[in-house]
Amino acid sequence: MKQVLGVLLVSFLISCNGEQKNTKLTGAVFGTSYSIIYDSDINYEKQFDSLFYVINKSMSTYQINSDISKLNRNETVEIDNHFINVYDASKEIFGLTEGAFDPTIGNVVNAWQFGAENTIEVVDSLKIDSLMQYVGYDKTYRLKRSIIKSNPNVYLEFNAIAKGYGVDVIGEFLESQNVKNYLVEIGGELRAKGRNTEKHSKWKVGVEEPNFEGGQSILKAISLKNEAMATSGTYRKFKVDENGNRYAHIINTETGYPSKTNLLSVSVIAENCMTADAYATAFKVMGIEKVKTFLKRHPELKVFLIFVNDNQELETLTLNGFPEE
């Protein structure tokens, strides 16, 4: 899973004058935490837990009996609607980004010990080359409720999109219950609807300032309404080898090596969180110039970049109308 980057800036006050109060539920899921705020006094925690269970059972590579784990072992699997939704969206974004977003990079992610199966002790060019021959989302296709792989060694993982999808599933459930105002956050990925009725204001969220040494501080605060935001970065989840080299967890799908870029953080606002999640990862791999070119053709995506410039100073770039506040 990508690291937690979004930080909620919402304060939760108890109303004493009978005004609308939000319900706030928090917990652990997908290897991270969640926070769900909505303007209803009905407690949906059991329903949320059930939805999380189903999504994990479908797409978690960290669960040995999930559908995706069985598929990676080449067992016969009939995939559910959640799997279909994420698989089909991934196929579209894979094509649009020319492979920068590729869920078949999983074996290479595991080789660098950032995934669910970290069994390889030595990573060298021969090992990476041997794994890269099985990378390519076009080496898979969906036939109704089955996934066909061109080679049994192709390994699927949806860690760069499933968390955002989970946010959407919770949001859509709340909407099905006629909840018109909510903020769903899982591991920093966000989806907002309506307003914070308790505070009589828009939903306020923040983008975290990159800090390799740990700790959290807000670089930029913005408002969200009827949209979603996801952030991808390299400054929290990385490894350092015996020579002091820092390896980021986001793997370049062309080379099989950790992404080498001056981009530290990418925040994407989109109509839904699944889309924002996937593009945040893809843009981190693509780099600034390719992202700028891509966004000219995709005005529906709003993007905020944090990077190190030629003077080794922190710099930001706002694209396609990413909100200033």
Side-chain angles (χ1 to χ4, degrees), residues 141-165:
Y141 69 93
R142 180 172 68 84
L143 181 61
K144 296 183 178 179
R145 292 191 175 274
S146 297
I147 302 298
I148 311 302
K149 301 190 294 183
S150 65
N151 187 292
N153 291 315
V154 172
Y155 182 97
L156 276 172
E157 69 156 34
F158 292 126
N159 293 342
I161 189 172
K163 188 167 58 172
Y165 178 73

Side-chain angles (χ1 to χ4, degrees), residues 224-284:
L224 285 182
K225 183 178 181 181
N226 302 336
E227 53 195 355
M229 183 177 81
T231 301
S232 178
T234 58
Y235 59 90
R236 283 198 177 276
K237 191 173 182 181
F238 58 87
K239 296 183 184 296
V240 180
D241 67 14
E242 64 275 9
N243 297 317
N245 296 314
R246 193 190 305 266
Y247 295 103
H249 76 289
I250 297 177
I251 305 301
N252 188 311
T253 53
E254 289 186 1
T255 67
Y257 285 80
S259 177
K260 291 184 178 181
T261 173
N262 59 341
L263 264 175
L264 298 180
S265 176
V266 181
S267 295
V268 178
I269 292 177
E271 182 180 5
N272 60 71
C273 201
M274 173 175 63
T275 298
D277 200 3
Y279 276 118
T281 298
F283 291 166
K284 186 67 183 61

Side-chain angles (χ1 to χ4, degrees), residues 51 54-55 58-59 67-68 78-94 101 103 137 142 144-147 158 160-170 172-173 191 272-275 278:
L51 290 168
V54 171
I55 294 170
S58 178
M59 291 177 286
D67 291 345
I68 199 167
E78 183 175 304
I79 58 175
D80 64 6
N81 288 336
H82 294 299
F83 200 115
I84 290 173
N85 292 339
V86 172
Y87 181 89
D88 289 356
S90 296
K91 182 72 80 170
E92 180 181 6
I93 296 171
F94 167 79
F101 177 78
Y137 206 53
R142 180 172 68 84
K144 296 183 178 179
R145 292 191 175 274
S146 297
I147 302 298
F158 292 126
I161 189 172
K163 188 167 58 172
Y165 178 73
V167 171
D168 289 331
V169 168
I170 296 300
E172 288 165 8
F173 168 79
R191 174 168 166 150
N272 60 71
C273 201
M274 173 175 63
T275 298

Side-chain angles (χ1 to χ4, degrees), residues 11 41 81 143 168 293 311:
S11 59
D41 57 4
N81 288 336
L143 181 61
D168 289 331
T293 300
N311 296 322

